[in-house]
Amino acid sequence: MDGSLPQALFPLLRQGLGGLPDSLEAVARALSAHRAYLFRLEARGGTWYASQLAEWAGEGTSPQIQNPDLQDLPMEEAGYGRWLEAFLQDQAIGGPVRTFPQAERPLLEAQEIQSLLVVPIRVDGALWGFLGVDDCQRARGFTPEEETLLRVMAEALARTLELWERTRWLGNLVEASPFYLARLGPEGTLRYANPALRQAFPQGLSLPVEKALARPGRPCTLTAQGARAVEWTLVAIPGPGPKALEVLALGIDVSEREEARLQEARWTAFRRNLLRVYETLMAEGLSDSIFGLILEAALDTIPSAQAGSVTVLMEDGNYHFVAAKGYDLEALRQVALRPEEPLSLTGHAEAQIFTWRDLQRFNARLDPERRQVMEEAGRVGEIQAILSVPVYLAGERKAFLYLDNLEREDAFGPLDLELAQAFASQLGLLLRRLELEGQLEHLAFHDPLTGLPNRLFFLEKLAQALKEDPRGLAVLYLDLDGLKLVNDLDGHAAGDEVLRAVAGRLRAVLRPRDLVARQGGDEFLVLLTGLKAPEEAVGVAERLLEVVRLPIPVGERVYHLTTSLGIALGEAGLSPGEVLQRADLALYRAKGEGKDRLSFFEAHLQEALRREMGLLEALREDLERGQGLWLVYQPIVDLQTGQRVALEALLRWRLAPPSEFIPLAERHRLMPQLGAFALRQACREREGHGLPVHVNVSPQELLDPTYPQRVAEVLEATGCPPEGLVLEVTESTLIPDERGRDASQSLQILRGLGLRVYLDDFGSGHSSLERLAHLPVDGVKLGQAFTQALGTPPDPSSPAARLVGAVLALAQALGLTPIAEGIEDAQALAYLKALGFPLGQGYFLGRPAPLYNGDQ
């Protein structure tokens, strides 16, 4: 924008008001606007009127110069009193039109204006009009620099108006201008210089005019560096002779701006390098290697430094070299510098510059042995200037940073000294904080239990990886299956040991560049980078699944856990939170599909999650109100007589089938509430049919030690006799571990009350013959998969038929009542009946249906 100001002013300076259209175009382009204009303000009869005098409109923008609504517009009556008040106070109006008061917007929006900036013009101290620009494509604000440019243009226009209205010569303005103004001949000779230029360049001025002469009428810019930095705009115009050209030059002293830019660049480098040191220290902690990083950061911050070293105060009271660049560090490690050395390189309190003369005096007083080492290491002979910076910890000098120049003794200036001192001060604060609060800092980014990075650290690394190579990364979200059982059975101390063991295994099987972090609870996060294809992520994920499956010995116990794992691949434009959410959705899918498996994120998972959350909320509400849920009953039939001997209660819901809402309730641990509803309703409705009622019990219910008590309370409240209730449990509930033993104890108590227990879907679980003989059950229900595998008609010689016969024989041998499920045709019924099954259940014998007037 800096070169745009002269381009906007030149037409006014050369042509007066005749150059106004070109100036309006230049200022519009400088401000990325689509329209620029000049309005006259006049007060007549106590009313201010505005009329448009001049305009420039860009291509595709509707001109408004002929718009009658913009001539003799009464400002206050038209709703622009705010503008008038601002102009009288020399204030600008600017910003998106949509933010303006409603009264102002119709006229502006009719001109397709999205944003505008207008500034007042004062001539001879009085309000004369206003200058403005429009953006017709986007709503935006305008920066102070943009307002300044427009105000400078308005001021130049005001001066031009004053000059032309009073018939003054343009030369008066040129002579009084603080800008450098000159006329140059085609050979570059100075034909005219205004007072400001003559004062700044008493020895004369030489500027390259060839580029301007090659393109007459088109300004070109250049910046000349010397005693001062000047930004020049040159334009070739017709000269005094025929076909002759001369060059007009407008210069603006930008020395302060260039100096400020240079200083800001140096301070930016300082902040960047200091931040790098902070990041490394927080990630790796304080060690000897950090001093090398400190030295590199300082050398990068101060370009005049060509080599350097770091000394640290050790326990022996001397300063020892711990880092060097440009020198032999191993040789320098043999040297110990005492704080009272004559040169006082280790005794000064602030950053200080020494020259080669100071180093010679210091070298002369060293003992021969140390002097030889210093010379062999190149520490003395080549240095022309050294910038020595003490580093403080808790008010005590603990280290020194030496920055060396090998060419000039005046290489370091005041800014170098200031930067070095600031660097050391900040570094000292950092080192002190790490020394006193190192453990706290470590905990901020690490999990105290496992020692792994935590979620905060993981998100920072994920954000960095997304910037560097989003398509080459993957995030794995792991959730341990079974840790809650460990905590419930053996306490959280055992669970913590399991978490530490799993953390170690995960870290051990990952590649060096990968990152594993603990999300919290029993969840872990893994960041994979540098992936060539998604298959690489699958390979790593499968290794993680395998190591979690391995037995985990803790004390005298051995635990068997699995993990569910979701994978989300990186994409450009995704935030860390979005990637993590995708991995979480994939994990949710993996758990829903049966755990101990991996799943990739797919877009439809978000829609499925929204549906699940809606169903979950509705199910909770229906459970609270006791509405929308009911029972249907499927008969259990005596195969010999065809009579119904019992009914199985099956739960139904208004919004989803059992295949959907039962797994939903299991995932969100709503089965105890659903089970309680079904048990209470089945016992209450039994009075209507008088048959024993079978009710399914979920593992979540049975693992609650208070479950037997709650069943007894329901029997008492509903008047249902114990022999009228049969509980059906699955084999997985009674697996041979601590959890299964607790469930078995609950069943023993319930059987002691007079209830019967049946093992549901027998054959699909893990029961062995030995285990089955000791299970606290009264009967088994043959899984319908076995029944359906018999074929139509059943083949007695098939493996399926032999398995069904074996199950029947086993049940009879153990004194258990067998029930064949899944009977769906007459042929299966006849075969099972002939085989000797006493009881059966299936669609052929009766479909699930609600009770009506005591009959289903």
Side-chain angles (χ1 to χ4, degrees), residues 329-378:
L329 177 59
E330 293 307 314
L332 290 176
R333 288 186 188 276
Q334 305 174 35
V335 176
L337 298 177
R338 297 186 293 272
E340 68 278 5
E341 294 289 351
L343 184 60
S344 192
L345 284 179
T346 57
H348 53 90
E350 296 180 350
Q352 188 170 337
I353 298 174
F354 298 97
T355 68
W356 61 273
R357 297 178 183 84
D358 300 311
L359 295 175
Q360 281 184 338
R361 289 193 297 271
F362 172 66
N363 186 46
R365 297 187 182 185
L366 285 174
D367 54 82
E369 182 180 353
R370 287 195 299 164
R371 177 175 179 174
Q372 179 182 359
V373 173
M374 298 284 275
E375 290 176 345
E376 289 177 353

Side-chain angles (χ1 to χ4, degrees), residues 4-47:
S4 305
L5 178 59
Q7 295 182 31
L9 294 179
F10 260 127
L12 288 176
L13 297 176
R14 290 182 54 213
Q15 305 174 41
L17 293 179
L20 181 59
D22 292 338
S23 291
L24 287 176
E25 179 181 357
V27 77
R29 295 190 184 281
L31 296 178
S32 301
H34 305 97
R35 191 185 292 129
Y37 43 82
L38 173 68
F39 274 73
R40 178 78 165 97
L41 287 171
E42 297 177 285
R44 302 194 299 267
T47 300

Side-chain angles (χ1 to χ4, degrees), residues 639-797:
L639 298 186
Q640 301 302 320
T641 65
Q643 296 295 315
R644 297 173 179 174
V645 295
L647 297 176
E648 181 178 1
L650 302 170
L651 194 58
R652 296 292 185 265
W653 184 39
R654 62 185 178 89
L655 292 181
S659 61
E660 184 174 7
F661 79 82
I662 295 297
L664 172 74
E666 289 175 342
R667 287 194 296 271
H668 297 280
R669 306 196 68 80
L670 289 181
M671 287 307 299
Q673 294 95 308
L674 280 180
F677 172 84
L679 178 65
R680 187 170 53 252
Q681 196 73 6
C683 291
R684 184 182 296 124
E685 293 178 352
R686 181 187 174 278
E687 186 178 354
H689 55 76
L691 295 175
V693 60
H694 289 232
V695 176
N696 292 283
V697 182
S698 72
Q700 293 177 20
E701 294 178 273
L702 203 53
L703 290 175
D704 183 349
T706 66
Y707 182 71
Q709 176 183 348
R710 290 190 285 110
V711 172
E713 290 173 352
V714 169
L715 293 176
E716 182 178 359
T718 60
C720 176
E723 61 272 13
L725 178 62
V726 180
L727 300 180
E728 293 190 6
V729 299
T730 60
E731 290 181 70
S732 59
T733 309
L734 305 175
I735 57 177
D737 61 6
E738 290 82 357
R739 182 181 64 175
R741 284 191 287 273
D742 289 345
S744 296
Q745 290 176 2
S746 293
L747 292 179
Q748 291 284 22
I749 296 173
L750 291 168
R751 293 180 75 205
L753 295 177
L755 281 74
R756 285 173 292 164
V757 177
Y758 273 58
L759 197 59
D760 192 17
D761 204 18
F762 179 71
S764 62
H766 312 280
S767 294
S768 64
L769 292 178
E770 179 184 4
R771 176 68 176 158
L772 183 61
H774 299 285
L775 288 179
V777 296
D778 301 283
V780 294
K781 298 182 76 173
L782 176 69
Q784 57 181 316
F786 291 99
T787 305
Q788 294 168 358
L790 290 172
T792 305
D795 180 6
S797 63

Side-chain angles (χ1 to χ4, degrees), residues 410-742:
D410 62 346
F412 298 111
L415 181 57
D416 297 323
L417 197 67
E418 185 180 354
L419 281 168
Q421 186 66 63
F423 183 87
S425 297
Q426 291 294 324
L427 187 57
L429 290 174
L430 174 63
L431 294 177
R432 181 178 64 179
R433 179 173 180 180
L434 285 170
E435 183 179 73
L436 299 178
E437 303 177 13
Q439 185 178 5
L440 181 61
E441 289 288 345
H442 185 267
L443 290 177
F445 290 93
H446 289 78
D447 170 47
L449 175 63
T450 64
L452 295 178
N454 60 13
R455 174 188 172 89
L456 178 62
F457 186 89
F458 183 88
L459 287 175
E460 289 185 359
K461 293 301 181 183
L462 175 57
Q464 180 181 347
L466 284 169
K467 292 179 181 178
E468 295 173 353
D469 183 19
R471 297 191 181 279
L473 68 84
V475 169
L476 281 55
Y477 203 136
L478 290 77
D479 187 339
L480 297 183
D481 307 320
L483 183 66
K484 183 179 185 302
L485 178 61
V486 176
N487 290 329
D488 292 344
L489 294 175
D490 297 320
H492 287 277
D496 290 347
E497 288 299 322
V498 170
L499 283 172
R500 279 191 281 265
V502 170
R505 291 180 180 183
L506 298 180
R507 186 159 40 192
V509 298
L510 289 176
R511 303 167 303 176
R513 65 174 178 265
D514 297 331
L515 172 69
V516 57
R518 186 183 178 201
Q519 158 78 358
D522 56 359
E523 297 177 341
F524 295 88
L525 301 170
V526 174
L527 173 62
L528 306 180
T529 55
L531 299 177
K532 299 293 189 298
E535 290 76 13
E536 293 184 48
V538 174
V540 175
E542 289 177 342
R543 290 202 305 270
L544 297 176
L545 292 173
E546 290 173 5
V547 298
V548 175
R549 292 188 193 111
L550 297 174
I552 303 174
V554 176
E556 298 180 356
R557 298 269 195 182
V558 176
Y559 299 101
H560 297 268
L561 273 66
T562 59
T563 185
S564 302
L565 191 152
I567 304 175
L569 300 176
E571 290 182 16
L574 289 180
S575 69
E578 289 169 331
V579 178
L580 208 58
Q581 183 185 37
R582 289 186 171 192
D584 192 14
L585 286 171
L587 168 64
Y588 195 79
R589 179 184 183 184
K591 293 178 74 69
E593 292 178 347
K595 305 179 181 180
D596 190 22
R597 66 191 63 211
L598 63 86
S599 175
F600 271 93
F601 167 80
E602 297 176 14
H604 70 82
L605 293 178
Q606 290 178 313
E607 182 60 36
L609 179 63
R610 279 191 288 269
R611 170 176 169 77
E612 175 154 330
M613 291 301 100
L615 289 175
L616 178 63
E617 184 63 26
L619 182 57
R620 283 175 173 156
E621 291 180 359
D622 283 355
L623 280 170
E624 290 178 3
R625 295 195 304 260
Q627 299 176 355
L629 291 158
W630 67 92
L631 294 179
V632 295
Y633 296 89
Q634 185 175 28
I636 298 173
V637 176
D638 185 323
L639 298 186
Q640 301 302 320
T641 65
Q643 296 295 315
R644 297 173 179 174
V645 295
L647 297 176
E648 181 178 1
L650 302 170
L651 194 58
R652 296 292 185 265
W653 184 39
R654 62 185 178 89
L655 292 181
S659 61
E660 184 174 7
F661 79 82
I662 295 297
L664 172 74
E666 289 175 342
R667 287 194 296 271
H668 297 280
R669 306 196 68 80
L670 289 181
M671 287 307 299
Q673 294 95 308
L674 280 180
F677 172 84
L679 178 65
R680 187 170 53 252
Q681 196 73 6
C683 291
R684 184 182 296 124
E685 293 178 352
R686 181 187 174 278
E687 186 178 354
H689 55 76
L691 295 175
V693 60
H694 289 232
V695 176
N696 292 283
V697 182
S698 72
Q700 293 177 20
E701 294 178 273
L702 203 53
L703 290 175
D704 183 349
T706 66
Y707 182 71
Q709 176 183 348
R710 290 190 285 110
V711 172
E713 290 173 352
V714 169
L715 293 176
E716 182 178 359
T718 60
C720 176
E723 61 272 13
L725 178 62
V726 180
L727 300 180
E728 293 190 6
V729 299
T730 60
E731 290 181 70
S732 59
T733 309
L734 305 175
I735 57 177
D737 61 6
E738 290 82 357
R739 182 181 64 175
R741 284 191 287 273
D742 289 345

